[in-house]
Amino acid sequence: KAISYLKQRGLSGELAARFKIGYAPDGLRNLSQIFADYDQDESENLLLRNGLVIKSNNGKYYDRFRARIIFPILNQKGQIIGFGGRVIDAASGPKYLNSPETPLFIKSRELYNLFSARKAIRESGRVLVVEGYMDVVMLAQYGIEYVVATLGTATTSTHIQKLLRQTDEIIFSFDGDNAGKKAAWRALETSLAHLKDGKKISFLFLPDGEDPDSFIRKFGKQSFELLFEKAIPLSDMLIGELTSRVNFQSSEGRAAVIQIAKPLIQLSSAPILKLILVKQLSQ
C-alpha cells in the first residue's frame, strides 16, 4: 500500500531508500510487538519518552504513528532523533504528524534534510525552505537538492542562524494564501535580527493551488528555478506589507506606518540594510 502510494506520487525506489522513507502499518500495537522480547515496562517507558507510543487514560500504550508514510528526522550529526508521518488516506487524521518534543528532538532547533542537503547548499550558494517533507523529497527527485523543511513550527531564530552559517542566501517558499502570507511575515520578523549585510533573504509565493511538490511535477526543474527570479527580497516585502496596512493619503496613516516600521527596522543588525529601508520608507 505504501509503495503503491509513493509510486503514484512519482517517487523512485532509489530516492525512497536514500531518504530512508518507511511505513507505519495500521494497528494499535505494532511497536510493542517488535519490542516484545525486551523488558515490557522498560521498552514501553523508552518508547513513551521518545514519543513513539502514547499512554491512554486507561493506562494502555498504543502507537503514535499508524497507517502513515514515515520520514526519519536527522540531527546535524546524521542521527535519527524523531519522525514525521504523512497520511495515505486523507480521512485518517491530520495530513502530517510529527514526533512530539523529547529530550532528543526539539522542533525549534531542527530542520528536515539539513544534514543531507549541506553539500548541495554550499555548492548552489542558496537554501530553499519549504513546508513539507514531500516537497523536499520531490524536489530532490527532480535534481533540486538544496532544500530543507520546517517541522510543523514557525521559522525560529535558531533556524535562521543555522542556515546563514551554511549559505548567504535563503529563499522561503510559501503558499500564496492567507496562512502562507502570515507564515512569511513571521519568518521575516524572525530574520531581521540575524540578517547581515551581504546576506540575502527572499520570499517565494507559488501560484494558487500549487505547492513545490505539485508545481515541479507539472512543470519541471527549469520552470521551478525560474520562479526564484520572482522571489520578493526581504526589504521589498517589509515595505510592501507596511504600506498595505495604512492610508497614505492621511497624516495619521503616514505617522502610523512610521510607528509600525521603527521597531522592525531597529531589529536589523545590518547597517547598510537599515539605511536602505529608511530611505525606501521615506520615499
Side-chain angles (χ1 to χ4, degrees), residues 179-248:
K181 286 172 183 172
K182 284 180 182 176
W185 182 254
R186 287 197 298 269
L188 181 150
E189 290 180 306
T190 305
S191 300
L192 273 171
H194 306 288
L195 186 57
K196 309 289 184 192
D197 290 324
K199 302 279 187 179
K200 181 182 176 186
I201 293 179
S202 55
F203 300 86
L204 173 64
F205 295 98
L206 293 173
D208 283 350
E210 300 286 3
D211 56 25
D213 171 10
S214 65
F215 188 95
I216 201 161
R217 280 191 286 141
K218 285 179 190 172
F219 304 109
K221 177 183 178 181
Q222 188 175 5
S223 294
F224 187 85
E225 290 191 311
L226 281 173
L227 289 175
F228 297 161
E229 296 173 13
K230 298 179 181 177
I232 305 167
L234 181 143
S235 56
D236 291 353
M237 172 117 165
L238 177 64
I239 299 298
E241 175 64 24
L242 293 177
T243 53
S244 71
R245 294 184 183 185
V246 300
N247 173 16
F248 269 90

Side-chain angles (χ1 to χ4, degrees), residues 22-183:
Y23 179 63
D26 209 351
L28 292 176
R29 293 178 57 79
N30 287 298
L31 274 178
S32 299
Q33 290 167 11
I34 290 168
F35 283 84
D37 292 341
Y38 300 90
D39 177 274
Q40 187 174 2
D41 288 340
E42 185 180 345
S43 63
E44 285 183 336
N45 283 333
L46 194 60
L47 292 171
L48 185 67
R49 279 183 62 209
N50 286 283
L52 297 174
V53 300
I54 296 170
K55 192 174 185 179
S56 65
N57 291 334
N58 63 11
K60 293 190 180 296
Y61 295 89
Y62 62 92
D63 296 352
R64 178 179 297 275
F65 298 105
R66 304 187 302 279
R68 287 177 180 268
I69 302 289
I70 298 294
F71 300 85
I73 299 162
L74 310 181
N75 64 12
Q76 285 190 281
K77 295 179 181 177
Q79 300 164 318
I80 296 176
I81 55 171
F83 298 93
R86 192 198 190 284
V87 290
I88 291 178
D89 177 2
S92 301
K95 184 176 177 182
Y96 283 106
L97 182 67
N98 294 321
S99 290
E101 299 269 317
T102 71
L104 286 177
F105 180 47
I106 300 169
K107 295 176 191 180
S108 61
R109 296 182 187 172
E110 305 297 338
L111 289 155
Y112 178 67
N113 198 47
L114 180 58
F115 174 77
S116 303
R118 288 178 304 177
K119 184 171 181 280
I121 291 169
R122 287 194 297 270
E123 288 175 352
S124 66
R126 64 162 69 112
V127 60
L128 178 68
V129 183
V130 297
E131 295 184 271
Y133 305 110
M134 282 301 292
D135 293 326
V136 172
V137 174
M138 288 310 301
L139 289 172
Q141 175 89 45
Y142 283 81
I144 299 178
E145 304 272 0
Y146 46 86
V147 189
V148 300
T150 50
L151 297 164
T153 65
T155 307
T156 67
S157 294
T158 305
H159 293 152
I160 301 293
Q161 289 170 316
K162 277 190 172 184
L163 293 174
L164 289 176
R165 282 199 289 270
Q166 301 286 334
T167 183
D168 290 340
E169 181 180 3
I170 303 173
I171 302 171
F172 288 101
S173 173
F174 291 102
D175 294 344
D177 57 14
N178 284 335
K181 286 172 183 172
K182 284 180 182 176

